[in-house]
Tab-separated table of all heavy atoms in Angstrom:
chain	number	residue	atom	x	y	z
A	1	LEU	N	-151.917	-7.599	109.706
A	1	LEU	CA	-151.422	-8.341	108.560
A	1	LEU	C	-152.245	-7.995	107.329
A	1	LEU	O	-153.475	-7.935	107.395
A	1	LEU	CB	-151.524	-9.841	108.848
A	1	LEU	CG	-150.873	-10.809	107.874
A	1	LEU	CD1	-149.362	-10.713	107.978
A	1	LEU	CD2	-151.335	-12.226	108.176
A	2	SER	N	-151.587	-7.767	106.194
A	2	SER	CA	-152.324	-7.442	104.975
A	2	SER	C	-151.538	-7.877	103.749
A	2	SER	O	-150.317	-8.065	103.800
A	2	SER	CB	-152.625	-5.946	104.898
A	2	SER	OG	-151.429	-5.194	104.789
A	3	LEU	N	-152.248	-8.019	102.625
A	3	LEU	CA	-151.662	-8.412	101.345
A	3	LEU	C	-152.356	-7.645	100.233
A	3	LEU	O	-153.581	-7.507	100.231
A	3	LEU	CB	-151.846	-9.921	101.126
A	3	LEU	CG	-151.499	-10.465	99.734
A	3	LEU	CD1	-149.987	-10.402	99.502
A	3	LEU	CD2	-152.006	-11.897	99.579
A	4	SER	N	-151.577	-7.127	99.277
A	4	SER	CA	-152.148	-6.449	98.120
A	4	SER	C	-151.340	-6.800	96.876
A	4	SER	O	-150.130	-7.063	96.956
A	4	SER	CB	-152.169	-4.927	98.315
A	4	SER	OG	-150.854	-4.418	98.407
A	5	VAL	N	-152.026	-6.834	95.719
A	5	VAL	CA	-151.390	-7.107	94.434
A	5	VAL	C	-151.860	-6.060	93.450
A	5	VAL	O	-153.067	-5.835	93.293
A	5	VAL	CB	-151.739	-8.517	93.918
A	5	VAL	CG1	-150.960	-8.822	92.644
A	5	VAL	CG2	-151.469	-9.568	94.974
A	6	SER	N	-150.943	-5.401	92.778
A	6	SER	CA	-151.314	-4.331	91.844
A	6	SER	C	-150.305	-4.250	90.701
A	6	SER	O	-149.155	-4.695	90.852
A	6	SER	CB	-151.352	-2.991	92.598
A	6	SER	OG	-150.060	-2.673	93.102
A	7	PRO	N	-150.722	-3.683	89.530
A	7	PRO	CA	-152.110	-3.329	89.191
A	7	PRO	C	-152.904	-4.561	88.798
A	7	PRO	O	-152.332	-5.632	88.627
A	7	PRO	CB	-151.922	-2.388	88.009
A	7	PRO	CG	-150.693	-2.913	87.335
A	7	PRO	CD	-149.794	-3.390	88.427
A	8	SER	N	-154.183	-4.398	88.627
A	8	SER	CA	-155.019	-5.479	88.148
A	8	SER	C	-156.061	-4.915	87.189
A	8	SER	O	-156.832	-4.022	87.587
A	8	SER	CB	-155.727	-6.173	89.300
A	8	SER	OG	-156.466	-7.280	88.846
A	9	PRO	N	-156.065	-5.386	85.928
A	9	PRO	CA	-155.187	-6.408	85.362
A	9	PRO	C	-153.760	-5.878	85.176
A	9	PRO	O	-153.527	-4.686	85.162
A	9	PRO	CB	-155.844	-6.745	84.030
A	9	PRO	CG	-156.559	-5.494	83.647
A	9	PRO	CD	-157.051	-4.898	84.939
A	10	PHE	N	-152.799	-6.806	84.989
A	10	PHE	CA	-151.427	-6.406	84.731
A	10	PHE	C	-150.904	-7.188	83.530
A	10	PHE	O	-151.491	-8.186	83.106
A	10	PHE	CB	-150.552	-6.638	85.963
A	10	PHE	CG	-150.201	-8.073	86.222
A	10	PHE	CD1	-148.961	-8.584	85.858
A	10	PHE	CD2	-151.103	-8.932	86.831
A	10	PHE	CE1	-148.625	-9.901	86.093
A	10	PHE	CE2	-150.772	-10.249	87.077
A	10	PHE	CZ	-149.533	-10.743	86.702
A	11	PHE	N	-149.789	-6.723	82.973
A	11	PHE	CA	-149.245	-7.340	81.767
A	11	PHE	C	-147.998	-8.175	82.080
A	11	PHE	O	-148.096	-9.375	82.273
A	11	PHE	CB	-148.952	-6.268	80.716
A	11	PHE	CG	-150.214	-5.631	80.199
A	11	PHE	CD1	-150.724	-4.487	80.792
A	11	PHE	CD2	-150.910	-6.194	79.140
A	11	PHE	CE1	-151.895	-3.905	80.324
A	11	PHE	CE2	-152.088	-5.622	78.672
A	11	PHE	CZ	-152.585	-4.471	79.268
A	12	SER	N	-146.851	-7.586	82.190
A	12	SER	CA	-145.641	-8.387	82.365
A	12	SER	C	-145.293	-8.638	83.825
A	12	SER	O	-144.763	-9.694	84.174
A	12	SER	CB	-144.457	-7.725	81.659
A	12	SER	OG	-144.221	-6.438	82.204
A	13	SER	N	-145.574	-7.671	84.697
A	13	SER	CA	-145.202	-7.838	86.102
A	13	SER	C	-146.205	-7.141	87.006
A	13	SER	O	-146.890	-6.195	86.589
A	13	SER	CB	-143.792	-7.302	86.364
A	13	SER	OG	-143.737	-5.911	86.125
A	14	ALA	N	-146.255	-7.625	88.256
A	14	ALA	CA	-147.137	-7.033	89.256
A	14	ALA	C	-146.361	-6.874	90.554
A	14	ALA	O	-145.350	-7.540	90.792
A	14	ALA	CB	-148.377	-7.895	89.477
A	15	LYS	N	-146.837	-5.979	91.394
A	15	LYS	CA	-146.215	-5.727	92.684
A	15	LYS	C	-147.034	-6.410	93.774
A	15	LYS	O	-148.219	-6.108	93.954
A	15	LYS	CB	-146.116	-4.227	92.936
A	15	LYS	CG	-145.397	-3.874	94.240
A	15	LYS	CD	-145.094	-2.387	94.327
A	15	LYS	CE	-146.360	-1.565	94.484
A	15	LYS	NZ	-146.060	-0.151	94.746
A	16	VAL	N	-146.398	-7.336	94.492
A	16	VAL	CA	-147.041	-8.031	95.602
A	16	VAL	C	-146.499	-7.428	96.899
A	16	VAL	O	-145.308	-7.533	97.189
A	16	VAL	CB	-146.747	-9.544	95.549
A	16	VAL	CG1	-147.399	-10.261	96.729
A	16	VAL	CG2	-147.235	-10.134	94.229
A	17	SER	N	-147.366	-6.771	97.656
A	17	SER	CA	-146.957	-6.093	98.884
A	17	SER	C	-147.657	-6.729	100.076
A	17	SER	O	-148.839	-7.096	99.999
A	17	SER	CB	-147.304	-4.601	98.822
A	17	SER	OG	-146.674	-3.989	97.712
A	18	PHE	N	-146.920	-6.867	101.186
A	18	PHE	CA	-147.535	-7.415	102.391
A	18	PHE	C	-146.957	-6.738	103.625
A	18	PHE	O	-145.807	-6.297	103.637
A	18	PHE	CB	-147.356	-8.938	102.477
A	18	PHE	CG	-145.939	-9.429	102.450
A	18	PHE	CD1	-145.251	-9.704	103.629
A	18	PHE	CD2	-145.286	-9.627	101.244
A	18	PHE	CE1	-143.951	-10.168	103.604
A	18	PHE	CE2	-143.979	-10.102	101.210
A	18	PHE	CZ	-143.305	-10.365	102.384
A	19	ASN	N	-147.800	-6.615	104.649
A	19	ASN	CA	-147.431	-5.991	105.918
A	19	ASN	C	-147.464	-7.033	107.031
A	19	ASN	O	-148.405	-7.834	107.128
A	19	ASN	CB	-148.399	-4.857	106.266
A	19	ASN	CG	-148.272	-3.695	105.302
A	19	ASN	OD1	-147.179	-3.370	104.855
A	19	ASN	ND2	-149.402	-3.067	104.974
A	20	LEU	N	-146.426	-7.015	107.880
A	20	LEU	CA	-146.345	-7.927	109.016
A	20	LEU	C	-146.259	-7.123	110.312
A	20	LEU	O	-145.314	-6.353	110.497
A	20	LEU	CB	-145.104	-8.813	108.907
A	20	LEU	CG	-145.026	-9.799	107.738
A	20	LEU	CD1	-143.672	-10.506	107.762
A	20	LEU	CD2	-146.148	-10.810	107.817
A	21	PRO	N	-147.197	-7.292	111.209
A	21	PRO	CA	-147.095	-6.602	112.506
A	21	PRO	C	-146.019	-7.195	113.403
A	21	PRO	O	-145.493	-6.514	114.279
A	21	PRO	CB	-148.488	-6.778	113.106
A	21	PRO	CG	-149.051	-7.975	112.440
A	21	PRO	CD	-148.469	-8.016	111.063
A	22	VAL	N	-145.678	-8.490	113.186
A	22	VAL	CA	-144.599	-9.150	113.931
A	22	VAL	C	-143.794	-9.989	112.953
A	22	VAL	O	-144.278	-10.348	111.878
A	22	VAL	CB	-145.141	-10.055	115.066
A	22	VAL	CG1	-145.888	-9.248	116.102
A	22	VAL	CG2	-146.019	-11.162	114.502
A	23	SER	N	-142.566	-10.296	113.301
A	23	SER	CA	-141.740	-11.162	112.459
A	23	SER	C	-142.410	-12.517	112.321
A	23	SER	O	-142.966	-13.057	113.277
A	23	SER	CB	-140.353	-11.316	113.066
A	23	SER	OG	-139.719	-10.066	113.189
A	24	ASP	N	-142.335	-13.075	111.122
A	24	ASP	CA	-143.051	-14.320	110.883
A	24	ASP	C	-142.501	-14.996	109.634
A	24	ASP	O	-141.835	-14.357	108.815
A	24	ASP	CB	-144.547	-14.044	110.691
A	24	ASP	CG	-145.415	-15.213	111.136
A	24	ASP	OD1	-144.881	-16.336	111.245
A	24	ASP	OD2	-146.612	-15.002	111.371
A	25	LYS	N	-142.784	-16.295	109.489
A	25	LYS	CA	-142.477	-16.987	108.250
A	25	LYS	C	-143.602	-16.712	107.268
A	25	LYS	O	-144.784	-16.811	107.605
A	25	LYS	CB	-142.324	-18.491	108.457
A	25	LYS	CG	-141.955	-19.231	107.174
A	25	LYS	CD	-141.721	-20.708	107.399
A	25	LYS	CE	-141.315	-21.377	106.086
A	25	LYS	NZ	-141.067	-22.827	106.251
A	26	VAL	N	-143.242	-16.385	106.030
A	26	VAL	CA	-144.221	-16.030	105.002
A	26	VAL	C	-144.013	-16.937	103.789
A	26	VAL	O	-142.892	-17.091	103.299
A	26	VAL	CB	-144.094	-14.557	104.584
A	26	VAL	CG1	-145.050	-14.242	103.441
A	26	VAL	CG2	-144.364	-13.647	105.773
A	27	VAL	N	-145.100	-17.537	103.323
A	27	VAL	CA	-145.100	-18.296	102.073
A	27	VAL	C	-146.091	-17.623	101.135
A	27	VAL	O	-147.251	-17.402	101.499
A	27	VAL	CB	-145.501	-19.766	102.296
A	27	VAL	CG1	-145.573	-20.514	100.965
A	27	VAL	CG2	-144.531	-20.454	103.243
A	28	ILE	N	-145.640	-17.250	99.939
A	28	ILE	CA	-146.519	-16.642	98.938
A	28	ILE	C	-146.470	-17.502	97.686
A	28	ILE	O	-145.398	-17.741	97.121
A	28	ILE	CB	-146.122	-15.191	98.622
A	28	ILE	CG1	-146.257	-14.323	99.877
A	28	ILE	CG2	-147.003	-14.632	97.499
A	28	ILE	CD1	-145.904	-12.866	99.660
A	29	GLU	N	-147.634	-17.977	97.261
A	29	GLU	CA	-147.759	-18.839	96.089
A	29	GLU	C	-148.839	-18.314	95.165
A	29	GLU	O	-149.782	-17.634	95.605
A	29	GLU	CB	-148.096	-20.271	96.517
A	29	GLU	CG	-147.044	-20.915	97.403
A	29	GLU	CD	-147.492	-22.226	97.997
A	29	GLU	OE1	-148.714	-22.376	98.253
A	29	GLU	OE2	-146.635	-23.101	98.212
A	30	VAL	N	-148.711	-18.639	93.877
A	30	VAL	CA	-149.685	-18.226	92.869
A	30	VAL	C	-150.315	-19.479	92.277
A	30	VAL	O	-149.605	-20.418	91.888
A	30	VAL	CB	-149.019	-17.397	91.759
A	30	VAL	CG1	-150.059	-17.000	90.705
A	30	VAL	CG2	-148.356	-16.158	92.340
A	31	TYR	N	-151.647	-19.489	92.208
A	31	TYR	CA	-152.387	-20.622	91.654
A	31	TYR	C	-153.222	-20.162	90.462
A	31	TYR	O	-153.705	-19.010	90.434
A	31	TYR	CB	-153.318	-21.237	92.706
A	31	TYR	CG	-152.579	-21.899	93.837
A	31	TYR	CD1	-152.115	-21.153	94.912
A	31	TYR	CD2	-152.344	-23.265	93.815
A	31	TYR	CE1	-151.423	-21.762	95.959
A	31	TYR	CE2	-151.652	-23.886	94.865
A	31	TYR	CZ	-151.200	-23.131	95.923
A	31	TYR	OH	-150.522	-23.732	96.942
A	32	ASP	N	-153.403	-21.055	89.471
A	32	ASP	CA	-154.285	-20.711	88.371
A	32	ASP	C	-155.733	-20.972	88.775
A	32	ASP	O	-156.007	-21.440	89.889
A	32	ASP	CB	-153.902	-21.452	87.088
A	32	ASP	CG	-154.063	-22.969	87.203
A	32	ASP	OD1	-154.795	-23.435	88.105
A	32	ASP	OD2	-153.449	-23.690	86.395
A	33	ILE	N	-156.640	-20.706	87.876
A	33	ILE	CA	-158.072	-20.789	88.205
A	33	ILE	C	-158.510	-22.232	88.470
A	33	ILE	O	-159.539	-22.483	89.091
A	33	ILE	CB	-158.923	-20.159	87.083
A	33	ILE	CG1	-160.321	-19.798	87.600
A	33	ILE	CG2	-158.981	-21.083	85.875
A	33	ILE	CD1	-160.319	-18.710	88.646
A	34	GLN	N	-157.689	-23.218	88.026
A	34	GLN	CA	-157.992	-24.627	88.271
A	34	GLN	C	-157.434	-25.111	89.608
A	34	GLN	O	-157.583	-26.278	89.968
A	34	GLN	CB	-157.413	-25.477	87.136
A	34	GLN	CG	-157.899	-25.107	85.743
A	34	GLN	CD	-159.402	-25.254	85.604
A	34	GLN	OE1	-159.983	-26.185	86.159
A	34	GLN	NE2	-160.028	-24.353	84.873
A	35	GLY	N	-156.764	-24.206	90.340
A	35	GLY	CA	-156.199	-24.574	91.623
A	35	GLY	C	-154.828	-25.196	91.538
A	35	GLY	O	-154.322	-25.732	92.523
A	36	ARG	N	-154.172	-25.120	90.362
A	36	ARG	CA	-152.836	-25.678	90.199
A	36	ARG	C	-151.782	-24.633	90.538
A	36	ARG	O	-151.923	-23.463	90.177
A	36	ARG	CB	-152.642	-26.161	88.760
A	36	ARG	CG	-153.564	-27.320	88.375
A	36	ARG	CD	-153.513	-27.628	86.903
A	36	ARG	NE	-153.953	-26.483	86.107
A	36	ARG	CZ	-154.321	-26.560	84.830
A	36	ARG	NH1	-154.274	-27.734	84.201
A	36	ARG	NH2	-154.705	-25.478	84.174
A	37	LEU	N	-150.728	-25.079	91.215
A	37	LEU	CA	-149.657	-24.156	91.581
A	37	LEU	C	-148.954	-23.664	90.328
A	37	LEU	O	-148.428	-24.456	89.538
A	37	LEU	CB	-148.658	-24.864	92.508
A	37	LEU	CG	-147.460	-24.030	92.968
A	37	LEU	CD1	-147.925	-22.865	93.844
A	37	LEU	CD2	-146.465	-24.901	93.743
A	38	ALA	N	-148.931	-22.337	90.137
A	38	ALA	CA	-148.292	-21.740	88.968
A	38	ALA	C	-146.921	-21.164	89.291
A	38	ALA	O	-146.031	-21.148	88.445
A	38	ALA	CB	-149.186	-20.645	88.378
A	39	LYS	N	-146.737	-20.683	90.509
A	39	LYS	CA	-145.456	-20.084	90.874
A	39	LYS	C	-145.356	-19.997	92.387
A	39	LYS	O	-146.340	-19.695	93.064
A	39	LYS	CB	-145.329	-18.680	90.271
A	39	LYS	CG	-143.927	-18.077	90.360
A	39	LYS	CD	-143.886	-16.732	89.653
A	39	LYS	CE	-142.493	-16.183	89.554
A	39	LYS	NZ	-141.630	-16.970	88.666
A	40	LYS	N	-144.156	-20.295	92.909
A	40	LYS	CA	-143.883	-20.098	94.330
A	40	LYS	C	-142.973	-18.896	94.440
A	40	LYS	O	-141.818	-18.930	94.000
A	40	LYS	CB	-143.221	-21.338	94.935
A	40	LYS	CG	-143.166	-21.299	96.455
A	40	LYS	CD	-142.947	-22.685	97.025
A	40	LYS	CE	-143.159	-22.678	98.536
A	40	LYS	NZ	-143.133	-24.028	99.114
C-alpha cells in the first residue's frame, strides 16, 4: 500500500496517486494545518 502527492509545492491542481495490493475501501481527505477538514 502506498500514497503519493505531486508536485509539491503545487498551484492549481495536484495528482494524488495510491496503490492497493488488494481490493479495499479507500477514504482520502485533505486537512489544513489546524487539523480542519478542507476537502473530502
Side-chain angles (χ1 to χ4, degrees):
L1 189 70
S2 65
L3 170 70
S4 64
V5 185
S6 63
S8 184
F10 75 100
F11 293 92
S12 60
S13 63
K15 183 169 69 172
V16 179
S17 302
F18 58 96
N19 293 323
L20 295 176
V22 297
S23 300
D24 209 341
K25 182 176 182 180
V26 176
V27 177
I28 297 181
E29 299 170 328
V30 179
Y31 293 84
D32 64 19
I33 200 66
Q34 303 299 322
R36 295 171 299 197
L37 179 65
K39 191 176 188 68
K40 191 161 191 172

